[in-house]
Amino acid sequence: GAGVSQSPSNKVTEKGKDVELRCDPISGHTALYWYRQRLGQGLEFLIYFQGNSAPDKSGLPSDRFSAERTGESVSTLTIQRTQQEDSAVYLCASSPVVSEKLFFGSGTQLSVL
Amino acid sequence: SQQGEEDPQALSIQEGENATMNCSYKTSINNLQWYRQNSGRGLVHLILIRSNEREKHSGRLRVTLDTSKKSSSLLITASRAADTASYFCATDNGGANNLFFGTGTRLTVIP
């Protein structure tokens, strides 16, 4: 497709389980971002990838969170040993130019029971 | 925190009226952007204004930037019910390569 694709769109999991969220950026976009948005709140920066450079992981809230991206392709965000406070919408975005005009996916709604 | 702050948190107006939202930020920037979000999912880019610009227009949108006050405003003229959404400002960090989003303004346009 032409836009940023995220899967799954919804994920319900039990506390303590691991989850993996996927993001397919727009082809040719070198920059890829992950954000978390809790209900009724703003976007919380998690991690940023730019080409083959080392990612900016400064926003990851704990060592249970990790993300990978191979080159300029798909990215996966993994949350280990999920907790109830991890429940949120996880948004992925890509852009052709660093820090300009991000294109967002529709997000993954994660619910930890 | 670099995160911007929007003001007001919520705004309710009648269709046809103008809506003004404000954003304040904390450090120097290269650009400031405004995004719109419907129904708590993906955001859509509206407009980008660079640090050397003071005003920019796009259709019914007008954005101003005052770098001395570290603030920006988004004006939506002749509002429509379809403009109902949350609006966020986003700033880079002068040299950083990521974008920091504000807390958003929830706009409700009453038909």
Side-chain angles (χ1 to χ4, degrees):
Chain A
V4 176
S5 178
Q6 289 188 247
S7 61
S9 57
N10 289 280
K11 176 70 176 179
V12 180
T13 190
E14 294 179 351
K15 178 181 173 181
K17 295 284 181 67
D18 298 350
V19 296
E20 188 174 279
L21 312 181
R22 177 187 170 105
C23 174
D24 282 272
I26 294 172
S27 178
H29 283 194
T30 58
L32 186 147
Y33 308 76
W34 283 98
Y35 291 89
R36 177 170 72 178
Q37 186 177 31
R38 292 196 168 103
L39 185 64
Q41 299 188 20
L43 275 68
E44 177 186 0
F45 167 74
L46 296 178
I47 189 168
Y48 158 80
F49 296 89
Q50 169 62 30
N52 293 317
S53 302
D56 178 351
K57 303 180 180 181
S58 59
L60 294 179
S62 77
D63 59 8
R64 295 188 295 105
F65 288 72
S66 63
E68 293 184 347
R69 187 187 188 196
T70 304
E72 297 181 1
S73 61
V74 170
S75 175
T76 56
L77 175 69
T78 301
I79 308 173
Q80 295 178 310
R81 304 181 302 282
T82 52
Q83 303 295 314
Q84 288 184 332
E85 63 262 28
D86 299 334
S87 296
V89 174
Y90 289 82
L91 292 162
C92 174
S94 68
S95 66
V97 178
V98 170
S99 298
E100 293 191 11
K101 192 170 184 181
L102 272 59
F103 293 79
F104 280 83
S106 297
T108 294
Q109 172 72 64
L110 176 65
S111 300
V112 182
L113 304 180
Chain B
S1 167
Q2 171 62 18
Q3 188 178 46
E5 295 287 337
E6 282 91 344
D7 168 56
Q9 291 186 342
L11 178 62
S12 184
I13 59 174
Q14 295 289 329
E15 198 165 34
E17 294 181 338
N18 296 340
T20 300
M21 290 160 270
N22 303 297
C23 168
S24 59
Y25 56 92
K26 297 180 181 177
T27 68
S28 62
I29 61 171
N30 289 325
N31 69 68
L32 183 145
Q33 302 173 50
W34 285 90
Y35 288 79
R36 167 195 168 123
Q37 183 181 41
N38 287 60
S39 305
R41 287 301 186 111
L43 281 71
V44 175
H45 180 268
L46 294 176
I47 197 165
L48 179 152
I49 186 166
R50 300 194 185 278
S51 60
N52 61 352
E53 298 176 306
R54 292 296 168 259
E55 187 170 313
K56 203 161 184 180
H57 297 254
S58 177
R60 293 185 295 112
L61 306 181
R62 174 182 158 233
V63 169
T64 62
L65 179 64
D66 187 334
T67 53
S68 67
K69 296 181 180 179
K70 293 186 170 56
S71 67
S72 173
S73 67
L74 171 67
L75 168 68
I76 303 174
T77 60
S79 64
R80 305 167 182 168
D83 294 329
T84 295
S86 291
Y87 292 82
F88 295 85
C89 68
T91 56
D92 62 11
N93 192 12
N97 294 323
N98 46 20
L99 272 184
F100 296 92
F101 284 78
T103 51
T105 292
R106 175 69 187 170
L107 173 66
T108 301
V109 181
I110 303 167

